[in-house]
């Protein structure tokens, strides 16, 4: 079962009566980049944290390539690579040590980790700093090494929560190409972003969440046609509201 399936997933934080995520039903298909959009506080990061096992699920379930994230968390997480907008890395490790640590956790052979990391550090221009401590890296460099660590085990599901923050334009272009290549190999790329133009250009399908509920999901061309061929920005504002309204 090469897909990720959210079935009636809900989450409420302690002290709140309103659900942060409210009965989310969604399927992510192999071979696609799925753009997950929504205003601040809409439930995007909560959804991602449940998918990656960081947060528990109150209701429903998430199946990751045949493994339930609640019942079989280790098996489910083996399929996932995760990049956040501000991941906490190990400052005292070098870039190489961090990538080796990630490869060790996922049981990646020495041959495979070398081949994958060598390609990525060259694409992201990290070779000169690869053997320096991560604490000496700029934020952009730290983001790039986090991406390398997330990809070293060639995950079936690449989960990205605003991953472009801090990247220079050249690295953004490289990462967009990497995302496309990764999806085209039959993997899932689940991509949360506020950059609508980027989502419109690279995503095969999109979903817009607001108030914890999935408002719209599907092929962008079909959604545009249904909405009168509006731009993604217009569609987003029509279904998610303005920042002031939210």
């Amino acid at each position: 079962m090469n897909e990720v399936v959210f079935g009636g997933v809900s989450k409420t934080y302690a002290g709140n009566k309103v659900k942060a995520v409210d009965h989310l039903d969604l399927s992510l298909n192999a071979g696609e980049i799925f753009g997950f959009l929504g205003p601040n506080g809409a439930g995007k990061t909560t959804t991602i944290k449940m998918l990656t096992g960081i947060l528990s699920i109150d209701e429903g379930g998430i199946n990751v390539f045949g493994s339930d994230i609640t019942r079989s968390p280790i098996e489910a997480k083996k399929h996932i690579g995760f990049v956040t907008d501000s991941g906490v890395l190990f400052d005292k490790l070098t870039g190489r040590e961090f990538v080796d640590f990630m490869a060790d956790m996922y049981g990646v052979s020495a041959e495979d980790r070398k081949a994958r990391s060598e390609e990525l550090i060259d694409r992201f221009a990290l070779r000169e700093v690869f053997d320096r401590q991560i604490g000496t890296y700029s934020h952009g460099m730290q983001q790039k090494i986090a991406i390398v660590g997330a990809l070293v085990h060639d995950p079936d599901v690449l989960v990205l929560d605003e991953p472009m923050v801090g990247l220079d334009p050249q690295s953004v272009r490289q990462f967009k190409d990497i995302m496309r290549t990764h999806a085209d190999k039959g993997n899932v790329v689940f991509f949360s972003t506020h950059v609508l133009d980027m989502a419109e250009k690279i995503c095969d399908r999109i979903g817009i969440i607001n108030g914890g509920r999935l408002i719209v999901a599907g092929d962008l061309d079909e959604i545009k046609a249904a909405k009168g061929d509006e731009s993604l920005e217009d569609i987003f504002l029509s279904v998610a509201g303005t920042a002031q309204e939210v």
Side-chain angles (χ1 to χ4, degrees), residues 120 123-124 151 174-183:
L120 290 167
R123 294 187 73 165
F124 285 132
L151 286 166
Q174 289 289 344
F175 192 36
K176 288 192 293 184
D177 291 344
I178 289 167
M179 291 166 62
R180 183 72 269 164
T181 300
H182 197 69

Side-chain angles (χ1 to χ4, degrees), residues 31-48:
E32 74 175 3
I33 300 175
F34 189 97
F36 197 48
L37 314 177
N40 292 333
K44 300 188 303 297
T45 297
T46 298
T47 299
I48 285 173

Side-chain angles (χ1 to χ4, degrees), residues 121 125-132 137:
I121 64 173
L126 288 171
R127 185 165 296 280
E128 290 187 4
V129 300
F130 197 42
D131 289 303
R132 297 180 189 171
Y137 289 13

Side-chain angles (χ1 to χ4, degrees), residues 100-214:
D100 279 339
F101 170 70
M102 296 295 290
D104 286 341
M105 284 202 301
Y106 287 98
V108 181
S109 70
E111 182 180 359
D112 285 344
R113 76 179 63 181
K114 186 176 189 301
R116 291 169 190 160
S117 63
E118 288 287 318
E119 176 190 359
L120 290 167
I121 64 173
D122 281 337
R123 294 187 73 165
F124 285 132
L126 288 171
R127 185 165 296 280
E128 290 187 4
V129 300
F130 197 42
D131 289 303
R132 297 180 189 171
Q133 288 185 336
I134 292 173
T136 67
Y137 289 13
S138 67
H139 176 68
M141 288 180 179
Q142 290 189 17
Q143 192 70 357
K144 288 189 278 188
I145 203 67
I147 293 168
V148 177
L151 286 166
V152 72
H153 67 292
D154 194 24
D156 297 313
V157 184
L158 182 59
V159 181
L160 308 168
D161 191 4
E162 295 288 349
M164 308 295 187
V165 174
L167 296 185
D168 57 80
Q170 184 176 5
S171 297
V172 169
R173 176 58 184 270
Q174 289 289 344
F175 192 36
K176 288 192 293 184
D177 291 344
I178 289 167
M179 291 166 62
R180 183 72 269 164
T181 300
H182 197 69
D184 287 346
K185 291 192 301 181
N187 302 305
V188 172
V189 177
F190 188 46
F191 175 49
S192 170
T193 183
H194 284 114
V195 185
L196 300 181
D197 287 345
M198 184 182 300
E200 189 165 10
K201 290 177 181 176
I202 70 173
C203 294
D204 302 301
R205 291 195 302 140
I206 64 161
I208 301 176
I209 189 172
N210 194 19
R213 294 190 175 187
L214 189 66

